[in-house]
Short mmCIF file of all heavy atoms in Angstrom, two decimals:
data_model
loop_
_atom_site.label_atom_id
_atom_site.label_comp_id
_atom_site.label_asym_id
_atom_site.label_seq_id
_atom_site.Cartn_x
_atom_site.Cartn_y
_atom_site.Cartn_z
N GLN A 1183 121.34 112.86 96.66
CA GLN A 1183 120.34 112.11 95.90
C GLN A 1183 121.00 111.13 94.94
O GLN A 1183 120.55 110.00 94.77
CB GLN A 1183 119.44 113.07 95.14
CG GLN A 1183 118.28 112.38 94.42
CD GLN A 1183 117.33 113.37 93.78
OE1 GLN A 1183 117.57 114.58 93.80
NE2 GLN A 1183 116.26 112.86 93.20
N ARG A 1184 122.11 111.55 94.33
CA ARG A 1184 122.82 110.68 93.40
C ARG A 1184 123.44 109.48 94.10
O ARG A 1184 123.44 108.37 93.58
CB ARG A 1184 123.92 111.49 92.70
CG ARG A 1184 124.61 110.75 91.56
CD ARG A 1184 125.80 111.54 91.07
NE ARG A 1184 126.88 111.56 92.06
CZ ARG A 1184 127.89 112.42 92.05
NH1 ARG A 1184 127.96 113.36 91.12
NH2 ARG A 1184 128.84 112.35 92.96
N GLU A 1185 123.94 109.70 95.32
CA GLU A 1185 124.61 108.64 96.08
C GLU A 1185 123.72 108.07 97.18
O GLU A 1185 124.21 107.42 98.10
CB GLU A 1185 125.90 109.18 96.69
CG GLU A 1185 126.88 109.76 95.71
CD GLU A 1185 127.40 108.72 94.73
OE1 GLU A 1185 127.59 107.56 95.15
OE2 GLU A 1185 127.61 109.06 93.54
N LEU A 1186 122.41 108.31 97.07
CA LEU A 1186 121.51 107.97 98.17
C LEU A 1186 121.56 106.49 98.54
O LEU A 1186 121.56 106.14 99.72
CB LEU A 1186 120.07 108.37 97.80
CG LEU A 1186 119.03 108.17 98.91
CD1 LEU A 1186 119.41 108.97 100.14
CD2 LEU A 1186 117.64 108.56 98.40
N ALA A 1187 121.60 105.62 97.55
CA ALA A 1187 121.61 104.18 97.84
C ALA A 1187 122.82 103.80 98.69
O ALA A 1187 122.70 103.02 99.65
CB ALA A 1187 121.59 103.39 96.54
N PHE A 1188 123.98 104.36 98.37
CA PHE A 1188 125.19 104.03 99.12
C PHE A 1188 125.17 104.66 100.51
O PHE A 1188 125.63 104.06 101.49
CB PHE A 1188 126.43 104.50 98.35
CG PHE A 1188 126.67 103.74 97.08
CD1 PHE A 1188 126.19 104.22 95.87
CD2 PHE A 1188 127.36 102.54 97.09
CE1 PHE A 1188 126.41 103.52 94.69
CE2 PHE A 1188 127.58 101.83 95.92
CZ PHE A 1188 127.10 102.32 94.72
N ILE A 1189 124.61 105.88 100.61
CA ILE A 1189 124.53 106.54 101.91
C ILE A 1189 123.59 105.78 102.84
O ILE A 1189 123.89 105.57 104.02
CB ILE A 1189 124.08 108.00 101.74
CG1 ILE A 1189 125.16 108.80 100.99
CG2 ILE A 1189 123.77 108.64 103.09
CD1 ILE A 1189 124.74 110.20 100.62
N VAL A 1190 122.45 105.36 102.31
CA VAL A 1190 121.50 104.59 103.11
C VAL A 1190 122.12 103.26 103.53
O VAL A 1190 121.98 102.81 104.68
CB VAL A 1190 120.20 104.35 102.33
CG1 VAL A 1190 119.31 103.34 103.05
CG2 VAL A 1190 119.45 105.66 102.14
N LEU A 1191 122.85 102.63 102.63
CA LEU A 1191 123.51 101.36 102.95
C LEU A 1191 124.56 101.55 104.04
O LEU A 1191 124.67 100.73 104.96
CB LEU A 1191 124.16 100.79 101.68
CG LEU A 1191 124.73 99.37 101.78
CD1 LEU A 1191 123.65 98.37 102.17
CD2 LEU A 1191 125.37 98.97 100.45
N ALA A 1192 125.33 102.64 103.96
CA ALA A 1192 126.33 102.91 104.98
C ALA A 1192 125.68 103.17 106.34
O ALA A 1192 126.13 102.66 107.38
CB ALA A 1192 127.19 104.10 104.58
N ALA A 1193 124.60 103.97 106.34
CA ALA A 1193 123.90 104.27 107.59
C ALA A 1193 123.30 103.01 108.20
O ALA A 1193 123.37 102.78 109.41
CB ALA A 1193 122.82 105.33 107.35
N ALA A 1194 122.71 102.17 107.34
CA ALA A 1194 122.14 100.92 107.83
C ALA A 1194 123.22 99.98 108.35
O ALA A 1194 123.04 99.29 109.36
CB ALA A 1194 121.35 100.23 106.71
N GLY A 1195 124.38 99.98 107.67
CA GLY A 1195 125.48 99.14 108.11
C GLY A 1195 126.02 99.54 109.46
O GLY A 1195 126.60 98.71 110.18
N PHE A 1196 125.83 100.80 109.83
CA PHE A 1196 126.28 101.24 111.14
C PHE A 1196 125.21 101.05 112.21
O PHE A 1196 125.50 100.60 113.33
CB PHE A 1196 126.71 102.70 111.09
CG PHE A 1196 127.22 103.22 112.41
CD1 PHE A 1196 128.50 102.93 112.83
CD2 PHE A 1196 126.41 103.97 113.23
CE1 PHE A 1196 128.97 103.37 114.06
CE2 PHE A 1196 126.85 104.43 114.45
CZ PHE A 1196 128.15 104.13 114.87
N THR A 1197 123.96 101.41 111.89
CA THR A 1197 122.92 101.41 112.91
C THR A 1197 122.30 100.03 113.16
O THR A 1197 121.90 99.72 114.28
CB THR A 1197 121.80 102.40 112.53
OG1 THR A 1197 121.28 102.06 111.24
CG2 THR A 1197 122.34 103.82 112.50
N ALA A 1198 122.19 99.21 112.11
CA ALA A 1198 121.52 97.91 112.27
C ALA A 1198 122.23 97.01 113.28
O ALA A 1198 121.56 96.37 114.12
CB ALA A 1198 121.39 97.22 110.91
N PRO A 1199 123.58 96.89 113.25
CA PRO A 1199 124.23 96.07 114.28
C PRO A 1199 124.01 96.62 115.69
O PRO A 1199 123.92 95.84 116.66
CB PRO A 1199 125.71 96.11 113.89
CG PRO A 1199 125.71 96.41 112.44
CD PRO A 1199 124.55 97.33 112.24
N LEU A 1200 123.95 97.95 115.83
CA LEU A 1200 123.66 98.53 117.14
C LEU A 1200 122.28 98.13 117.62
O LEU A 1200 122.09 97.77 118.79
CB LEU A 1200 123.78 100.05 117.08
CG LEU A 1200 125.16 100.65 116.83
CD1 LEU A 1200 125.07 102.17 116.76
CD2 LEU A 1200 126.13 100.24 117.92
N LEU A 1201 121.32 98.17 116.70
CA LEU A 1201 119.96 97.79 117.05
C LEU A 1201 119.88 96.32 117.43
O LEU A 1201 119.22 95.95 118.41
CB LEU A 1201 119.02 98.08 115.88
CG LEU A 1201 117.54 97.73 116.09
CD1 LEU A 1201 116.97 98.51 117.26
CD2 LEU A 1201 116.75 98.01 114.81
N ALA A 1202 120.58 95.47 116.68
CA ALA A 1202 120.57 94.03 116.99
C ALA A 1202 121.17 93.77 118.37
O ALA A 1202 120.64 92.96 119.14
CB ALA A 1202 121.36 93.27 115.92
N GLY A 1203 122.28 94.46 118.68
CA GLY A 1203 122.89 94.30 119.99
C GLY A 1203 121.99 94.80 121.10
O GLY A 1203 121.90 94.19 122.17
N PHE A 1204 121.30 95.90 120.86
CA PHE A 1204 120.40 96.45 121.88
C PHE A 1204 119.23 95.51 122.13
O PHE A 1204 118.79 95.33 123.27
CB PHE A 1204 119.90 97.82 121.44
CG PHE A 1204 119.11 98.55 122.49
CD1 PHE A 1204 119.77 99.25 123.48
CD2 PHE A 1204 117.72 98.52 122.49
CE1 PHE A 1204 119.05 99.92 124.47
CE2 PHE A 1204 117.01 99.18 123.47
CZ PHE A 1204 117.66 99.89 124.46
N ILE A 1205 118.71 94.91 121.07
CA ILE A 1205 117.59 93.97 121.23
C ILE A 1205 118.03 92.76 122.05
O ILE A 1205 117.29 92.28 122.92
CB ILE A 1205 117.06 93.55 119.85
CG1 ILE A 1205 116.37 94.72 119.16
CG2 ILE A 1205 116.10 92.36 119.97
CD1 ILE A 1205 115.95 94.45 117.74
N LYS A 1206 119.22 92.24 121.80
CA LYS A 1206 119.68 91.03 122.49
C LYS A 1206 120.14 91.31 123.92
O LYS A 1206 119.80 90.55 124.83
CB LYS A 1206 120.82 90.38 121.71
CG LYS A 1206 121.33 89.09 122.37
CD LYS A 1206 122.33 88.35 121.51
CE LYS A 1206 122.78 87.07 122.22
NZ LYS A 1206 123.74 86.28 121.40
N PHE A 1207 120.90 92.40 124.10
CA PHE A 1207 121.53 92.63 125.40
C PHE A 1207 120.88 93.73 126.23
O PHE A 1207 121.22 93.91 127.39
CB PHE A 1207 123.01 92.96 125.22
CG PHE A 1207 123.79 91.91 124.48
CD1 PHE A 1207 124.43 92.20 123.28
CD2 PHE A 1207 123.88 90.61 124.97
CE1 PHE A 1207 125.15 91.24 122.60
CE2 PHE A 1207 124.60 89.64 124.30
CZ PHE A 1207 125.23 89.95 123.11
N GLY A 1208 119.99 94.53 125.60
CA GLY A 1208 119.37 95.63 126.32
C GLY A 1208 120.27 96.85 126.46
O GLY A 1208 119.98 97.75 127.23
N ARG A 1209 121.37 96.89 125.71
CA ARG A 1209 122.28 98.03 125.72
C ARG A 1209 123.05 98.03 124.40
O ARG A 1209 123.18 97.00 123.75
CB ARG A 1209 123.25 97.95 126.90
CG ARG A 1209 124.03 96.67 126.93
CD ARG A 1209 124.61 96.34 128.31
NE ARG A 1209 125.62 97.29 128.73
CZ ARG A 1209 126.42 97.07 129.77
NH1 ARG A 1209 126.32 95.96 130.47
NH2 ARG A 1209 127.32 97.96 130.11
N LEU A 1210 123.54 99.20 124.01
CA LEU A 1210 124.25 99.29 122.75
C LEU A 1210 125.55 98.51 122.80
O LEU A 1210 126.29 98.59 123.79
CB LEU A 1210 124.56 100.75 122.42
CG LEU A 1210 123.39 101.65 122.02
CD1 LEU A 1210 123.91 103.05 121.73
CD2 LEU A 1210 122.65 101.10 120.83
N PRO A 1211 125.86 97.74 121.77
CA PRO A 1211 127.16 97.05 121.73
C PRO A 1211 128.29 98.04 121.50
O PRO A 1211 128.10 99.08 120.87
CB PRO A 1211 127.01 96.09 120.54
CG PRO A 1211 125.99 96.75 119.66
CD PRO A 1211 125.04 97.46 120.58
N SER A 1212 129.45 97.70 122.03
CA SER A 1212 130.64 98.54 121.88
C SER A 1212 131.83 97.64 121.55
O SER A 1212 132.79 97.55 122.30
CB SER A 1212 130.92 99.33 123.17
OG SER A 1212 129.83 100.15 123.52
N TYR A 1213 131.75 96.98 120.39
CA TYR A 1213 132.75 95.99 120.05
C TYR A 1213 134.07 96.64 119.62
O TYR A 1213 135.14 96.12 119.88
CB TYR A 1213 132.24 95.08 118.94
CG TYR A 1213 130.98 94.34 119.29
CD1 TYR A 1213 129.94 94.19 118.36
CD2 TYR A 1213 130.80 93.79 120.55
CE1 TYR A 1213 128.78 93.52 118.68
CE2 TYR A 1213 129.63 93.11 120.87
CZ TYR A 1213 128.63 92.99 119.93
OH TYR A 1213 127.48 92.33 120.26
N HIS A 1214 133.98 97.76 118.91
CA HIS A 1214 135.18 98.43 118.38
C HIS A 1214 136.06 97.44 117.63
O HIS A 1214 137.27 97.33 117.88
CB HIS A 1214 135.97 99.09 119.51
CG HIS A 1214 135.23 100.16 120.23
ND1 HIS A 1214 135.01 100.16 121.59
CD2 HIS A 1214 134.60 101.27 119.76
CE1 HIS A 1214 134.31 101.22 121.95
NE2 HIS A 1214 134.04 101.90 120.85
N THR A 1215 135.46 96.73 116.71
CA THR A 1215 136.23 95.74 115.94
C THR A 1215 137.25 96.45 115.06
O THR A 1215 137.10 97.62 114.71
CB THR A 1215 135.30 94.90 115.05
OG1 THR A 1215 134.65 95.76 114.11
CG2 THR A 1215 134.25 94.18 115.88
N TRP A 1216 138.27 95.71 114.71
CA TRP A 1216 139.33 96.28 113.88
C TRP A 1216 138.79 96.75 112.53
O TRP A 1216 139.13 97.84 112.06
CB TRP A 1216 140.45 95.25 113.68
CG TRP A 1216 141.21 94.97 114.94
CD1 TRP A 1216 141.35 95.82 116.01
CD2 TRP A 1216 141.93 93.78 115.26
NE1 TRP A 1216 142.11 95.23 116.98
CE2 TRP A 1216 142.49 93.98 116.56
CE3 TRP A 1216 142.16 92.58 114.61
CZ2 TRP A 1216 143.26 93.02 117.19
CZ3 TRP A 1216 142.94 91.62 115.24
CH2 TRP A 1216 143.48 91.84 116.51
N ILE A 1217 137.92 95.95 111.92
CA ILE A 1217 137.41 96.33 110.60
C ILE A 1217 136.45 97.52 110.70
O ILE A 1217 136.42 98.37 109.81
CB ILE A 1217 136.75 95.13 109.90
CG1 ILE A 1217 136.41 95.48 108.44
CG2 ILE A 1217 135.51 94.68 110.63
CD1 ILE A 1217 135.91 94.31 107.65
N SER A 1218 135.70 97.62 111.78
CA SER A 1218 134.77 98.75 111.92
C SER A 1218 135.53 100.04 112.14
O SER A 1218 135.14 101.10 111.63
CB SER A 1218 133.79 98.50 113.07
OG SER A 1218 134.45 98.53 114.32
N LYS A 1219 136.64 99.99 112.89
CA LYS A 1219 137.45 101.18 113.09
C LYS A 1219 138.09 101.62 111.77
O LYS A 1219 138.15 102.81 111.46
CB LYS A 1219 138.51 100.92 114.16
CG LYS A 1219 137.92 100.82 115.56
CD LYS A 1219 139.00 100.67 116.62
CE LYS A 1219 139.53 99.26 116.68
NZ LYS A 1219 140.44 99.05 117.83
N ALA A 1220 138.54 100.65 111.00
CA ALA A 1220 139.12 100.99 109.70
C ALA A 1220 138.07 101.59 108.77
O ALA A 1220 138.33 102.58 108.07
CB ALA A 1220 139.73 99.73 109.07
N SER A 1221 136.87 101.01 108.76
CA SER A 1221 135.83 101.51 107.87
C SER A 1221 135.38 102.92 108.25
O SER A 1221 135.06 103.74 107.39
CB SER A 1221 134.63 100.55 107.87
OG SER A 1221 133.98 100.55 109.12
N ALA A 1222 135.38 103.22 109.56
CA ALA A 1222 135.00 104.57 110.00
C ALA A 1222 135.97 105.61 109.46
O ALA A 1222 135.57 106.68 108.99
CB ALA A 1222 134.95 104.62 111.53
N VAL A 1223 137.26 105.29 109.51
CA VAL A 1223 138.27 106.21 108.98
C VAL A 1223 138.11 106.37 107.47
O VAL A 1223 138.11 107.48 106.94
CB VAL A 1223 139.68 105.71 109.32
CG1 VAL A 1223 140.73 106.57 108.62
CG2 VAL A 1223 139.91 105.72 110.83
N VAL A 1224 137.97 105.25 106.79
CA VAL A 1224 137.91 105.27 105.33
C VAL A 1224 136.66 106.01 104.85
O VAL A 1224 136.72 106.81 103.90
CB VAL A 1224 137.94 103.83 104.77
CG1 VAL A 1224 137.73 103.84 103.26
CG2 VAL A 1224 139.28 103.18 105.09
N ILE A 1225 135.52 105.76 105.49
CA ILE A 1225 134.30 106.45 105.08
C ILE A 1225 134.42 107.95 105.32
O ILE A 1225 133.98 108.76 104.49
CB ILE A 1225 133.08 105.86 105.83
CG1 ILE A 1225 132.67 104.54 105.18
CG2 ILE A 1225 131.91 106.84 105.81
CD1 ILE A 1225 131.41 103.93 105.74
N GLY A 1226 135.01 108.34 106.44
CA GLY A 1226 135.19 109.76 106.71
C GLY A 1226 136.04 110.44 105.65
O GLY A 1226 135.70 111.51 105.13
N VAL A 1227 137.17 109.82 105.31
CA VAL A 1227 138.07 110.40 104.31
C VAL A 1227 137.42 110.44 102.94
O VAL A 1227 137.47 111.46 102.23
CB VAL A 1227 139.39 109.61 104.26
CG1 VAL A 1227 140.26 110.08 103.10
CG2 VAL A 1227 140.15 109.75 105.58
N THR A 1228 136.80 109.34 102.54
CA THR A 1228 136.20 109.29 101.20
C THR A 1228 134.96 110.17 101.09
O THR A 1228 134.62 110.62 99.99
CB THR A 1228 135.83 107.84 100.84
OG1 THR A 1228 134.95 107.28 101.83
CG2 THR A 1228 137.08 106.97 100.74
N ALA A 1229 134.30 110.45 102.22
CA ALA A 1229 133.17 111.38 102.19
C ALA A 1229 133.67 112.78 101.83
O ALA A 1229 133.01 113.51 101.06
CB ALA A 1229 132.45 111.39 103.52
N PHE A 1230 134.82 113.16 102.37
CA PHE A 1230 135.41 114.45 102.01
C PHE A 1230 135.78 114.47 100.53
O PHE A 1230 135.57 115.47 99.84
CB PHE A 1230 136.66 114.72 102.86
CG PHE A 1230 136.35 115.39 104.17
CD1 PHE A 1230 136.15 114.64 105.30
CD2 PHE A 1230 136.24 116.76 104.25
CE1 PHE A 1230 135.86 115.24 106.51
CE2 PHE A 1230 135.96 117.39 105.45
CZ PHE A 1230 135.77 116.62 106.59
#
């Protein structure tokens, strides 16, 4: 509850691009960009 705004922002930052890609291409995007891979690691570590 204390970190809700940041958690919602992180979840939206992950799901919204997937939704945009699905709307345009009819399938989930799988870009695996360098910055997204880095952010996944950092968010996982900082969540702990």
